[in-house]
Amino acid sequence: MSPVSTIIIGGLTVAATAVCYALTHSIVLAILIFLASYLICRNLQPFISQKWRSAHPSRLPQLHEFRVKNMPVEDGAPQGFRLLAMTEYLEPGPKTQPVYKEIAGAALEALSQQSPLFALRLSAVRQREHPEQYVCALCGADGKNMRKCLKSWVRSDALRNMRSKTQNRDLFLYDGAIGVPGEENEVPYTVLVLFDSTLPVTLPKAEAE
């Protein structure tokens, strides 16, 4: 749940409770209204988040971390890789975290099969136990906010020491779709993976040939 959504839900819950107590002067009833209001607002959280983003289009999308290993890192230390997963409307949170993990896993596997260099660098990160960070964000219908998601990612502290961003050497992109329970159609997604530029880029001779 984003901080903005938390504030809005808390405000609505407190307001409903205050109005109830002012009208009835019943503490028990006010507590019941508080619990009911909170549960209702919590279920409406994705809708509230969407409306807030629509009303404040200039704000950069929020990044949600869903997997992390060997972070944080210091200046000059090995950076490993960072992963950004974007969907149009799959609201990040505890319920969707397994889906985002599946998206990340599918993208890493597909890119490893497509690119020997990607597989080499991913293997190096894993063998050396270098840092890994996975984040996700909503890019809006038809990916209209994808650039903003990328800007938010590039400006994040996690990418502060990631120097080179050469495409198909350090930065890789993968588009896919995944079936989600309760969704009639598969959910499209885009994944970007950025490697530390100091990782090996020379394939074994047999693979290079």
Side-chain angles (χ1 to χ4, degrees), residues 179-204:
V180 178
E183 297 290 339
E184 183 177 352
N185 300 317
E186 288 190 321
V187 175
Y189 63 81
T190 296
V191 171
L192 284 95
V193 180
L194 179 63
F195 287 102
D196 182 351
S197 60
T198 63
L199 289 166
V201 294
T202 303
L203 296 167

PDB file of all heavy atoms in Angstrom, residues 179-204:
ATOM      1  N   GLY A 179      -0.662 -15.318 -17.198  1.00  0.00           N
ATOM      2  CA  GLY A 179      -2.011 -15.567 -16.723  1.00  0.00           C
ATOM      3  C   GLY A 179      -2.115 -15.293 -15.233  1.00  0.00           C
ATOM      4  O   GLY A 179      -1.256 -15.716 -14.458  1.00  0.00           O
ATOM      5  N   VAL A 180      -3.147 -14.571 -14.848  1.00  0.00           N
ATOM      6  CA  VAL A 180      -3.364 -14.210 -13.446  1.00  0.00           C
ATOM      7  C   VAL A 180      -4.745 -14.689 -13.028  1.00  0.00           C
ATOM      8  O   VAL A 180      -5.726 -14.428 -13.742  1.00  0.00           O
ATOM      9  CB  VAL A 180      -3.253 -12.678 -13.240  1.00  0.00           C
ATOM     10  CG1 VAL A 180      -3.539 -12.317 -11.790  1.00  0.00           C
ATOM     11  CG2 VAL A 180      -1.884 -12.178 -13.658  1.00  0.00           C
ATOM     12  N   PRO A 181      -4.871 -15.406 -11.904  1.00  0.00           N
ATOM     13  CA  PRO A 181      -6.185 -15.856 -11.440  1.00  0.00           C
ATOM     14  C   PRO A 181      -7.164 -14.697 -11.319  1.00  0.00           C
ATOM     15  O   PRO A 181      -6.828 -13.647 -10.773  1.00  0.00           O
ATOM     16  CB  PRO A 181      -5.879 -16.467 -10.063  1.00  0.00           C
ATOM     17  CG  PRO A 181      -4.445 -16.898 -10.155  1.00  0.00           C
ATOM     18  CD  PRO A 181      -3.781 -15.862 -11.014  1.00  0.00           C
ATOM     19  N   GLY A 182      -8.353 -14.893 -11.853  1.00  0.00           N
ATOM     20  CA  GLY A 182      -9.370 -13.850 -11.805  1.00  0.00           C
ATOM     21  C   GLY A 182      -9.365 -12.924 -12.999  1.00  0.00           C
ATOM     22  O   GLY A 182     -10.280 -12.118 -13.166  1.00  0.00           O
ATOM     23  N   GLU A 183      -8.324 -13.016 -13.835  1.00  0.00           N
ATOM     24  CA  GLU A 183      -8.232 -12.177 -15.026  1.00  0.00           C
ATOM     25  C   GLU A 183      -8.561 -13.012 -16.264  1.00  0.00           C
ATOM     26  O   GLU A 183      -8.002 -14.092 -16.464  1.00  0.00           O
ATOM     27  CB  GLU A 183      -6.832 -11.579 -15.173  1.00  0.00           C
ATOM     28  CG  GLU A 183      -6.426 -10.645 -14.048  1.00  0.00           C
ATOM     29  CD  GLU A 183      -7.201  -9.341 -14.063  1.00  0.00           C
ATOM     30  OE1 GLU A 183      -7.742  -8.995 -15.130  1.00  0.00           O
ATOM     31  OE2 GLU A 183      -7.266  -8.686 -13.018  1.00  0.00           O
ATOM     32  N   GLU A 184      -9.472 -12.509 -17.073  1.00  0.00           N
ATOM     33  CA  GLU A 184      -9.896 -13.248 -18.264  1.00  0.00           C
ATOM     34  C   GLU A 184      -8.769 -13.343 -19.286  1.00  0.00           C
ATOM     35  O   GLU A 184      -8.546 -14.400 -19.898  1.00  0.00           O
ATOM     36  CB  GLU A 184     -11.113 -12.558 -18.891  1.00  0.00           C
ATOM     37  CG  GLU A 184     -11.675 -13.291 -20.111  1.00  0.00           C
ATOM     38  CD  GLU A 184     -12.914 -12.610 -20.662  1.00  0.00           C
ATOM     39  OE1 GLU A 184     -13.426 -11.667 -20.014  1.00  0.00           O
ATOM     40  OE2 GLU A 184     -13.364 -13.018 -21.748  1.00  0.00           O
ATOM     41  N   ASN A 185      -8.060 -12.250 -19.481  1.00  0.00           N
ATOM     42  CA  ASN A 185      -6.971 -12.219 -20.449  1.00  0.00           C
ATOM     43  C   ASN A 185      -5.626 -12.200 -19.735  1.00  0.00           C
ATOM     44  O   ASN A 185      -5.528 -11.790 -18.574  1.00  0.00           O
ATOM     45  CB  ASN A 185      -7.093 -10.983 -21.347  1.00  0.00           C
ATOM     46  CG  ASN A 185      -8.391 -10.956 -22.127  1.00  0.00           C
ATOM     47  OD1 ASN A 185      -8.820 -11.979 -22.666  1.00  0.00           O
ATOM     48  ND2 ASN A 185      -9.026  -9.791 -22.186  1.00  0.00           N
ATOM     49  N   GLU A 186      -4.592 -12.631 -20.435  1.00  0.00           N
ATOM     50  CA  GLU A 186      -3.254 -12.578 -19.868  1.00  0.00           C
ATOM     51  C   GLU A 186      -2.828 -11.127 -19.642  1.00  0.00           C
ATOM     52  O   GLU A 186      -3.197 -10.236 -20.407  1.00  0.00           O
ATOM     53  CB  GLU A 186      -2.255 -13.267 -20.800  1.00  0.00           C
ATOM     54  CG  GLU A 186      -2.390 -14.779 -20.839  1.00  0.00           C
ATOM     55  CD  GLU A 186      -1.228 -15.416 -21.574  1.00  0.00           C
ATOM     56  OE1 GLU A 186      -0.780 -14.848 -22.594  1.00  0.00           O
ATOM     57  OE2 GLU A 186      -0.765 -16.482 -21.133  1.00  0.00           O
ATOM     58  N   VAL A 187      -2.056 -10.914 -18.592  1.00  0.00           N
ATOM     59  CA  VAL A 187      -1.588  -9.575 -18.243  1.00  0.00           C
ATOM     60  C   VAL A 187      -0.246  -9.322 -18.929  1.00  0.00           C
ATOM     61  O   VAL A 187       0.727 -10.032 -18.673  1.00  0.00           O
ATOM     62  CB  VAL A 187      -1.429  -9.436 -16.717  1.00  0.00           C
ATOM     63  CG1 VAL A 187      -0.832  -8.072 -16.363  1.00  0.00           C
ATOM     64  CG2 VAL A 187      -2.768  -9.629 -16.019  1.00  0.00           C
ATOM     65  N   PRO A 188      -0.172  -8.315 -19.811  1.00  0.00           N
ATOM     66  CA  PRO A 188       1.111  -8.008 -20.456  1.00  0.00           C
ATOM     67  C   PRO A 188       2.063  -7.316 -19.479  1.00  0.00           C
ATOM     68  O   PRO A 188       1.636  -6.609 -18.565  1.00  0.00           O
ATOM     69  CB  PRO A 188       0.722  -7.076 -21.602  1.00  0.00           C
ATOM     70  CG  PRO A 188      -0.549  -6.433 -21.149  1.00  0.00           C
ATOM     71  CD  PRO A 188      -1.258  -7.453 -20.298  1.00  0.00           C
ATOM     72  N   TYR A 189       3.354  -7.508 -19.697  1.00  0.00           N
ATOM     73  CA  TYR A 189       4.344  -6.874 -18.833  1.00  0.00           C
ATOM     74  C   TYR A 189       5.609  -6.573 -19.622  1.00  0.00           C
ATOM     75  O   TYR A 189       5.859  -7.149 -20.689  1.00  0.00           O
ATOM     76  CB  TYR A 189       4.671  -7.755 -17.624  1.00  0.00           C
ATOM     77  CG  TYR A 189       5.295  -9.093 -17.955  1.00  0.00           C
ATOM     78  CD1 TYR A 189       6.660  -9.223 -18.231  1.00  0.00           C
ATOM     79  CD2 TYR A 189       4.518 -10.254 -17.983  1.00  0.00           C
ATOM     80  CE1 TYR A 189       7.229 -10.449 -18.526  1.00  0.00           C
ATOM     81  CE2 TYR A 189       5.077 -11.488 -18.280  1.00  0.00           C
ATOM     82  CZ  TYR A 189       6.424 -11.590 -18.549  1.00  0.00           C
ATOM     83  OH  TYR A 189       6.987 -12.808 -18.847  1.00  0.00           O
ATOM     84  N   THR A 190       6.406  -5.668 -19.074  1.00  0.00           N
ATOM     85  CA  THR A 190       7.725  -5.334 -19.620  1.00  0.00           C
ATOM     86  C   THR A 190       8.727  -5.388 -18.482  1.00  0.00           C
ATOM     87  O   THR A 190       8.465  -4.864 -17.400  1.00  0.00           O
ATOM     88  CB  THR A 190       7.729  -3.934 -20.253  1.00  0.00           C
ATOM     89  OG1 THR A 190       6.837  -3.915 -21.376  1.00  0.00           O
ATOM     90  CG2 THR A 190       9.125  -3.549 -20.718  1.00  0.00           C
ATOM     91  N   VAL A 191       9.839  -6.036 -18.734  1.00  0.00           N
ATOM     92  CA  VAL A 191      10.893  -6.168 -17.724  1.00  0.00           C
ATOM     93  C   VAL A 191      12.190  -5.598 -18.271  1.00  0.00           C
ATOM     94  O   VAL A 191      12.560  -5.876 -19.421  1.00  0.00           O
ATOM     95  CB  VAL A 191      11.099  -7.639 -17.314  1.00  0.00           C
ATOM     96  CG1 VAL A 191      12.335  -7.793 -16.431  1.00  0.00           C
ATOM     97  CG2 VAL A 191       9.876  -8.162 -16.573  1.00  0.00           C
ATOM     98  N   LEU A 192      12.870  -4.794 -17.462  1.00  0.00           N
ATOM     99  CA  LEU A 192      14.203  -4.301 -17.799  1.00  0.00           C
ATOM    100  C   LEU A 192      15.197  -4.808 -16.761  1.00  0.00           C
ATOM    101  O   LEU A 192      14.882  -4.809 -15.562  1.00  0.00           O
ATOM    102  CB  LEU A 192      14.238  -2.775 -17.835  1.00  0.00           C
ATOM    103  CG  LEU A 192      13.600  -2.130 -19.065  1.00  0.00           C
ATOM    104  CD1 LEU A 192      12.157  -1.757 -18.755  1.00  0.00           C
ATOM    105  CD2 LEU A 192      14.369  -0.905 -19.497  1.00  0.00           C
ATOM    106  N   VAL A 193      16.346  -5.226 -17.229  1.00  0.00           N
ATOM    107  CA  VAL A 193      17.402  -5.710 -16.341  1.00  0.00           C
ATOM    108  C   VAL A 193      18.668  -4.920 -16.641  1.00  0.00           C
ATOM    109  O   VAL A 193      19.091  -4.823 -17.796  1.00  0.00           O
ATOM    110  CB  VAL A 193      17.666  -7.215 -16.550  1.00  0.00           C
ATOM    111  CG1 VAL A 193      18.775  -7.682 -15.610  1.00  0.00           C
ATOM    112  CG2 VAL A 193      16.391  -8.024 -16.315  1.00  0.00           C
ATOM    113  N   LEU A 194      19.264  -4.346 -15.609  1.00  0.00           N
ATOM    114  CA  LEU A 194      20.485  -3.555 -15.756  1.00  0.00           C
ATOM    115  C   LEU A 194      21.598  -4.203 -14.950  1.00  0.00           C
ATOM    116  O   LEU A 194      21.477  -4.395 -13.742  1.00  0.00           O
ATOM    117  CB  LEU A 194      20.251  -2.129 -15.275  1.00  0.00           C
ATOM    118  CG  LEU A 194      21.462  -1.188 -15.339  1.00  0.00           C
ATOM    119  CD1 LEU A 194      21.923  -0.993 -16.781  1.00  0.00           C
ATOM    120  CD2 LEU A 194      21.130   0.162 -14.712  1.00  0.00           C
ATOM    121  N   PHE A 195      22.714  -4.543 -15.644  1.00  0.00           N
ATOM    122  CA  PHE A 195      23.862  -5.168 -15.012  1.00  0.00           C
ATOM    123  C   PHE A 195      24.937  -4.133 -14.699  1.00  0.00           C
ATOM    124  O   PHE A 195      25.083  -3.133 -15.406  1.00  0.00           O
ATOM    125  CB  PHE A 195      24.475  -6.231 -15.928  1.00  0.00           C
ATOM    126  CG  PHE A 195      23.664  -7.493 -16.042  1.00  0.00           C
ATOM    127  CD1 PHE A 195      22.886  -7.729 -17.165  1.00  0.00           C
ATOM    128  CD2 PHE A 195      23.694  -8.445 -15.043  1.00  0.00           C
ATOM    129  CE1 PHE A 195      22.149  -8.888 -17.277  1.00  0.00           C
ATOM    130  CE2 PHE A 195      22.955  -9.614 -15.149  1.00  0.00           C
ATOM    131  CZ  PHE A 195      22.177  -9.842 -16.269  1.00  0.00           C
ATOM    132  N   ASP A 196      25.726  -4.435 -13.674  1.00  0.00           N
ATOM    133  CA  ASP A 196      26.926  -3.670 -13.359  1.00  0.00           C
ATOM    134  C   ASP A 196      27.878  -3.777 -14.552  1.00  0.00           C
ATOM    135  O   ASP A 196      28.154  -4.872 -15.049  1.00  0.00           O
ATOM    136  CB  ASP A 196      27.558  -4.261 -12.101  1.00  0.00           C
ATOM    137  CG  ASP A 196      28.798  -3.512 -11.642  1.00  0.00           C
ATOM    138  OD1 ASP A 196      29.283  -2.637 -12.394  1.00  0.00           O
ATOM    139  OD2 ASP A 196      29.290  -3.812 -10.544  1.00  0.00           O
ATOM    140  N   SER A 197      28.388  -2.651 -15.016  1.00  0.00           N
ATOM    141  CA  SER A 197      29.249  -2.647 -16.204  1.00  0.00           C
ATOM    142  C   SER A 197      30.572  -3.378 -15.992  1.00  0.00           C
ATOM    143  O   SER A 197      31.268  -3.691 -16.960  1.00  0.00           O
ATOM    144  CB  SER A 197      29.535  -1.206 -16.634  1.00  0.00           C
ATOM    145  OG  SER A 197      30.185  -0.492 -15.594  1.00  0.00           O
ATOM    146  N   THR A 198      30.938  -3.660 -14.733  1.00  0.00           N
ATOM    147  CA  THR A 198      32.200  -4.350 -14.474  1.00  0.00           C
ATOM    148  C   THR A 198      32.088  -5.862 -14.610  1.00  0.00           C
ATOM    149  O   THR A 198      33.105  -6.565 -14.536  1.00  0.00           O
ATOM    150  CB  THR A 198      32.712  -4.019 -13.059  1.00  0.00           C
ATOM    151  OG1 THR A 198      31.775  -4.516 -12.088  1.00  0.00           O
ATOM    152  CG2 THR A 198      32.877  -2.526 -12.875  1.00  0.00           C
ATOM    153  N   LEU A 199      30.887  -6.386 -14.803  1.00  0.00           N
ATOM    154  CA  LEU A 199      30.715  -7.827 -14.969  1.00  0.00           C
ATOM    155  C   LEU A 199      31.315  -8.273 -16.296  1.00  0.00           C
ATOM    156  O   LEU A 199      31.426  -7.472 -17.233  1.00  0.00           O
ATOM    157  CB  LEU A 199      29.232  -8.188 -14.908  1.00  0.00           C
ATOM    158  CG  LEU A 199      28.581  -8.062 -13.530  1.00  0.00           C
ATOM    159  CD1 LEU A 199      27.071  -8.097 -13.651  1.00  0.00           C
ATOM    160  CD2 LEU A 199      29.070  -9.161 -12.600  1.00  0.00           C
ATOM    161  N   PRO A 200      31.704  -9.544 -16.412  1.00  0.00           N
ATOM    162  CA  PRO A 200      32.354 -10.019 -17.646  1.00  0.00           C
ATOM    163  C   PRO A 200      31.462  -9.855 -18.874  1.00  0.00           C
ATOM    164  O   PRO A 200      30.247 -10.017 -18.807  1.00  0.00           O
ATOM    165  CB  PRO A 200      32.623 -11.499 -17.358  1.00  0.00           C
ATOM    166  CG  PRO A 200      31.691 -11.854 -16.245  1.00  0.00           C
ATOM    167  CD  PRO A 200      31.546 -10.621 -15.426  1.00  0.00           C
ATOM    168  N   VAL A 201      32.099  -9.517 -19.997  1.00  0.00           N
ATOM    169  CA  VAL A 201      31.373  -9.348 -21.262  1.00  0.00           C
ATOM    170  C   VAL A 201      31.967 -10.225 -22.368  1.00  0.00           C
ATOM    171  O   VAL A 201      31.516 -10.187 -23.501  1.00  0.00           O
ATOM    172  CB  VAL A 201      31.386  -7.872 -21.732  1.00  0.00           C
ATOM    173  CG1 VAL A 201      30.596  -7.004 -20.780  1.00  0.00           C
ATOM    174  CG2 VAL A 201      32.818  -7.367 -21.873  1.00  0.00           C
ATOM    175  N   THR A 202      32.984 -11.020 -22.031  1.00  0.00           N
ATOM    176  CA  THR A 202      33.620 -11.899 -23.016  1.00  0.00           C
ATOM    177  C   THR A 202      33.156 -13.330 -22.814  1.00  0.00           C
ATOM    178  O   THR A 202      33.343 -13.911 -21.744  1.00  0.00           O
ATOM    179  CB  THR A 202      35.156 -11.838 -22.890  1.00  0.00           C
ATOM    180  OG1 THR A 202      35.576 -10.488 -23.038  1.00  0.00           O
ATOM    181  CG2 THR A 202      35.807 -12.684 -23.967  1.00  0.00           C
ATOM    182  N   LEU A 203      32.502 -13.867 -23.832  1.00  0.00           N
ATOM    183  CA  LEU A 203      32.018 -15.236 -23.765  1.00  0.00           C
ATOM    184  C   LEU A 203      33.161 -16.215 -23.957  1.00  0.00           C
ATOM    185  O   LEU A 203      34.166 -15.890 -24.614  1.00  0.00           O
ATOM    186  CB  LEU A 203      30.973 -15.481 -24.851  1.00  0.00           C
ATOM    187  CG  LEU A 203      29.681 -14.656 -24.745  1.00  0.00           C
ATOM    188  CD1 LEU A 203      28.893 -14.774 -26.030  1.00  0.00           C
ATOM    189  CD2 LEU A 203      28.851 -15.153 -23.569  1.00  0.00           C
ATOM    190  N   PRO A 204      33.032 -17.424 -23.396  1.00  0.00           N
ATOM    191  CA  PRO A 204      34.018 -18.470 -23.689  1.00  0.00           C
ATOM    192  C   PRO A 204      34.125 -18.665 -25.210  1.00  0.00           C
ATOM    193  O   PRO A 204      33.139 -18.512 -25.930  1.00  0.00           O
ATOM    194  CB  PRO A 204      33.430 -19.703 -22.999  1.00  0.00           C
ATOM    195  CG  PRO A 204      32.582 -19.155 -21.900  1.00  0.00           C
ATOM    196  CD  PRO A 204      32.017 -17.869 -22.445  1.00  0.00           C
TER     197      PRO A 204
END
